[in-house]
Amino acid sequence: MIIAKITDFGTILVVLRFLTKEQLGAASLVVAFGAVIEAFDGLGASTALVQAPSLSRLQLDSLFWVIVAAACVMAGLTLLVAPYIASLYGRTSSP
């Protein structure tokens, strides 16, 4: 876990060296929206797993697929609203 955090931080520092001020502003918006989306991460499933006295295999499998489905829905919603959010900030997507 600590190694992953250090790697993330190091990667951010390397990427920041290559961004212009305008790109850094856009990246800041992405990080802000990412934090909001991340709040829905797992839908509290990790807390439920820790607090459950015991779980059957069926319950674990069901929970896995619920989380996968929720992640797909959030990804789809993010892709759908991305152009509208970009237009609010005067950004256009370019291929």
Side-chain angles (χ1 to χ4, degrees):
M1 181 74 166
I2 293 173
I3 293 173
K5 295 287 184 183
I6 292 170
T7 303
D8 286 347
F9 183 72
T11 303
I12 289 171
L13 291 179
V14 170
V15 169
L16 287 177
R17 293 185 50 100
F18 296 102
L19 295 179
T20 65
K21 289 181 182 181
E22 182 178 301
Q23 291 170 330
L24 183 60
S28 298
L29 290 173
V30 170
V31 170
F33 281 104
V36 172
I37 292 169
E38 191 174 359
F40 293 100
D41 182 30
L43 302 173
S46 59
T47 304
L49 283 173
V50 170
Q51 293 179 356
S54 66
L55 291 168
S56 70
R57 184 68 184 169
L58 178 62
Q59 289 171 318
L60 284 173
D61 290 345
S62 298
L63 185 59
F64 171 78
W65 289 112
V66 165
I67 293 170
V68 168
C72 289
V73 167
M74 287 304 295
L77 287 174
T78 302
L79 288 173
L80 285 174
V81 300
Y84 301 109
I85 293 172
S87 69
L88 287 174
Y89 289 97
R91 307 284 301 171
T92 58
S93 61
S94 57

